[in-house]
């Protein structure tokens, strides 16, 4: 099972490469927050492809 974490937009700017590595290598789902509110998610490609297929 993949783990999840949250990162602010400001933190993401500083740690983009490390964040993407965590998503790619460890299958981590990262929620991007702005003012404490989730605004986006960075997910592994297989997860995104499953979502696309489910939408038809």
């Amino acid at each position: 099972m993949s783990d999840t974490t949250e990162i602010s937009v400001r933190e993401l700017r500083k740690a983009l490469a490390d964040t993407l590595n965590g998503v790619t290598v460890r299958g981590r789902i990262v929620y991007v927050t702005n003012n404490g509110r989730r605004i986006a998610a960075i997910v592994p490609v297989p997860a995104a492809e499953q979502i696309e297929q489910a939408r038809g």
Side-chain angles (χ1 to χ4, degrees):
M1 181 174 205
S2 65
D3 58 327
T4 61
T5 190
E6 290 187 357
I7 189 168
S8 71
V9 173
R10 179 178 290 182
E11 292 170 339
L12 181 60
R13 285 185 184 125
K14 295 177 185 176
L16 182 58
D18 288 338
T19 302
L20 292 176
N21 188 50
V23 170
T24 303
V25 174
R26 292 185 279 291
R28 178 174 289 159
I29 296 172
V30 178
Y31 291 99
V32 182
T33 63
N34 188 23
N35 295 322
R37 200 177 104 239
R38 288 180 175 180
I39 60 167
I42 304 172
V43 299
V45 169
E49 290 172 341
Q50 285 179 341
I51 293 167
E52 284 183 319
Q53 288 177 354
R55 289 182 174 178

